[in-house]
């Protein structure tokens, strides 16, 4: 196999057939939580997602859900008009496993819609699952009938077993392991396992901000450590550079990791799941979308914290009948370029040039629980899933802190108050780039404070004048009066 000399002189990155000329970020959308959505609700959610630089929704659909037909009609109608992307995740756990013929029928029905996502250089409709490894063999037939690109979540198997299941039927994998299991911080250890097991097949990396569920009707009542998770995980995405990113989730209110709006018409699950309290009502997470345009820009530009600009060239690989794997080294990464077919195949090459970070809008985000951990009873919630993990008391995983993240063009000061009382907050962690621009974060205890939360960022100018840069307030108050006598372990998120 011979390459054009322009690869060497430009040190360009020859992308895999599965890799993206522009990497994609999706949000997992539980269609079963939207049976009462009308077209305008879908249009509104899509507009909010696009404003946050999200490329599309992963539509989680359950077998035997009578609302699927109407929901999908409205979803695709809204997405087609907005140039927004959609693809299916077949949920094999929600109600019953999916019959393979039903799966193939749905894919073929919707895959030709303008908004159905087909990754660059494959032209195949991407399809995922939530679990379902016991039905892995079905996918040989489904793939032959639909020509889909199959990237399931089979996290229950672990990376190595999922990658080889059913004679490696998966074209790539998605992981649902988005939360640390215990008091330690989140790492990319599991992501590394997937990358190694996939050996060049695409990996979809999960990002989540929280996890708390208390739905006894479905035998669910636990939490995982969410402190500092959202911003930590995005920094990991920027460093790890996966093929795709999937946010968990847009609207899973029952597990408290939603980043979309809380719609009253979508909260019926708290009744059907016999929740002791509605822990999502009046608990907005919209603030977590505030810094997404910045994080997603960093990820897509492959910069590990610095934006880049890219130019694209076309390089033609000489035809060969032999399967050869060649390593192409570039300025920023090492990837595997597969052998071409007997016909010359154009592969896109990306030339990356660094430029200084530009902060378009300085902003601040804060999140906090509204009840101190010891204010009321725990609701029998455990830290970690007791079905397969070591159990901790919830307050061993979650701290009574207000967590702050700011995107700044240069250093500034932070102030956090509860009930008008200043808590002496500071930025304890900084990841500034050229000129001091970048992410600044910190946390401050609120255990002995109650009342309204206000967060302000200010800067003192050279002339001694102090100016307000950004302010976040208006969220629910911190209180020791707990709804139903239980601590609400779901946070509120506010932003400027």
């Amino acid at each position: 196999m011979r390459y054009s000399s322009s690869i060497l002189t430009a040190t360009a990155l020859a992308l895999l057939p599965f890799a993206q000329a522009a990497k994609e970020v999706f949000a997992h959308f539980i269609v079963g939580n939207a049976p009462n959505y009308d077209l305008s609700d879908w249009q509104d959610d899509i507009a909010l997602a696009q404003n946050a630089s999200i490329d599309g929704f992963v539509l989680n659909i359950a077998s035997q859900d009578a609302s699927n037909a109407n929901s999908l009609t409205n979803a695709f109608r809204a997405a087609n008009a907005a140039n927004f992307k959609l693809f299916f995740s077949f949920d094999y756990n929600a109600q019953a496993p999916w019959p393979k013929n039903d799966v193939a029928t749905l894919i073929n029905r919707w895959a030709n819609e303008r908004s159905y996502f087909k990754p660059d250089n494959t032209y195949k409709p991407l399809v995922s699952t939530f679990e379902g490894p016991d039905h892995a063999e079905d996918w040989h037939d489904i793939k032959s009938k639909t020509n889909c690109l199959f990237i399931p979540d089979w996290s229950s198997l672990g990376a190595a077993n999922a990658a080889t299941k059913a004679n490696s039927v998966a074209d790539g994998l998605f992981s649902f392991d988005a939360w640390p299991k215990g008091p330690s911080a989140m790492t990319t250890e599991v992501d590394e396992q997937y990358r190694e097991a996939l050996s060049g097949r695409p990996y979809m990396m999960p990002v989540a901000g929280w996890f708390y569920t208390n739905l006894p009707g479905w035998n669910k009542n636990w939490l995982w450590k969410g402190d500092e998770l959202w911003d930590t995980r995005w920094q990991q995405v920027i460093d790890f550079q996966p093929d795709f990113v999937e946010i968990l989730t847009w609207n899973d209110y029952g597990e408290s990791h939603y980043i979309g709006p809380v719609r009253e018409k979508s909260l019926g699950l708290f009744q059907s799941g016999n929740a002791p309290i509605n822990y999502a009502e009046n608990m907005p997470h919209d603030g977590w979308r505030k810094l997404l345009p910045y994080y997603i820009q960093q990820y897509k530009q492959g910069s590990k914290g610095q934006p880049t600009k890219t130019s694209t060239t076309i390089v033609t690989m000489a035809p060969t009948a032999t399967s050869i794997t060649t390593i192409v080294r570039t300025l920023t990464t090492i990837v595997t370029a597969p052998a071409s077919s007997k016909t010359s195949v154009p592969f896109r090459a990306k030339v990356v040039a660094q430029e200084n970070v530009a902060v378009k809008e300085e902003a601040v985000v804060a999140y906090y629980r509204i009840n101190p951990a010891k204010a009321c009873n725990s609701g029998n919630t455990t830290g970690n899933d007791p079905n397969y993990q070591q159990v901790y008391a919830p307050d061993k995983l979650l701290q009574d802190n207000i967590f702050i993240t700011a995107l700044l063009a240069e250093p500034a000061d932070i102030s956090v108050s509860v009930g008008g009382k200043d808590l002496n907050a500071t930025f304890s962690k900084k990841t500034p780039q050229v000129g001091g621009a970048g992410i600044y974060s910190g946390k401050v205890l609120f255990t002995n404070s109650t009342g309204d939360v206000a967060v302000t960022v200010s800067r003192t100018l050279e002339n001694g004048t102090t100016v307000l840069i950004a302010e976040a307030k208006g969220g629910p108050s911190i209180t020791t009066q707990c709804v139903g006598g239980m601590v609400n372990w779901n946070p509120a998120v506010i932003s400027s």
Side-chain angles (χ1 to χ4, degrees), residues 318-391:
T320 178
T322 307
S323 177
I324 300 175
T325 299
T326 301
I327 301 299
V328 181
R329 295 183 181 273
T330 74
L331 286 172
T332 57
T333 191
I334 299 175
V335 296
T336 302
S340 62
S341 66
K342 294 182 179 180
T343 304
S344 293
V345 179
F347 281 77
R348 294 195 177 274
K350 184 181 291 186
V351 182
V352 180
Q354 297 289 336
E355 65 179 13
N356 291 344
V357 69
V359 175
K360 297 179 180 179
E361 177 191 3
E362 296 187 294
V364 65
V365 178
Y367 60 99
Y368 56 92
R369 290 179 291 101
I370 63 171
N371 305 134
K374 299 295 187 182
C376 308
N377 78 73
S378 68
N380 296 317
T381 299
T382 61
N384 280 355
D385 183 347
N387 294 307
Y388 69 100
Q389 295 174 322
Q390 178 183 347
V391 170

Side-chain angles (χ1 to χ4, degrees), residues 68-146:
N68 282 343
N70 184 64
S71 293
L72 295 181
T73 297
N74 284 332
F76 278 98
R77 181 179 174 187
N80 286 342
N83 195 28
F84 191 67
K85 298 167 184 174
L86 304 173
F87 70 88
F88 291 146
S89 173
F90 291 92
D91 194 325
Y92 280 73
N93 282 6
Q95 296 186 17
W98 276 89
K100 66 178 182 179
N101 289 335
D102 291 356
V103 172
T105 298
L106 269 178
I107 295 171
N108 286 330
R109 163 64 182 86
W110 295 103
N112 290 325
E113 292 289 330
R114 183 168 63 253
S115 56
Y116 200 102
F117 178 56
K118 300 176 180 68
D120 295 346
N121 301 331
T122 71
Y123 309 105
K124 295 183 176 184
L126 195 153
V127 177
S128 188
T129 71
F130 178 69
E131 289 299 335
D134 291 344
H135 299 266
E137 293 289 349
D138 291 354
W139 285 92
H140 290 290
D141 192 32
I142 295 169
K143 288 173 66 176
S144 70
K145 291 179 178 179
T146 64

Side-chain angles (χ1 to χ4, degrees), residues 235 238-239 294 298-299 302-307 357 431-433 437-438:
Q235 291 295 337
I238 293 165
D239 289 341
Y294 174 81
Q298 303 305 321
Y299 159 60
S303 59
K304 294 193 177 184
Q306 287 227 54
V357 69
T431 55
Q433 307 304 323

Side-chain angles (χ1 to χ4, degrees), residues 13 15 20-23 297 299-303 306-313 332 349-355:
L13 173 59
L15 297 181
Q20 301 305 291
K23 289 163 284 192
Q297 177 195 41
Y299 159 60
K300 288 191 173 185
Q301 294 180 331
S303 59
Q306 287 227 54
T308 62
K309 55 186 177 183
T310 65
S311 61
T312 302
T313 60
T332 57
K350 184 181 291 186
V351 182
V352 180
Q354 297 289 336
E355 65 179 13

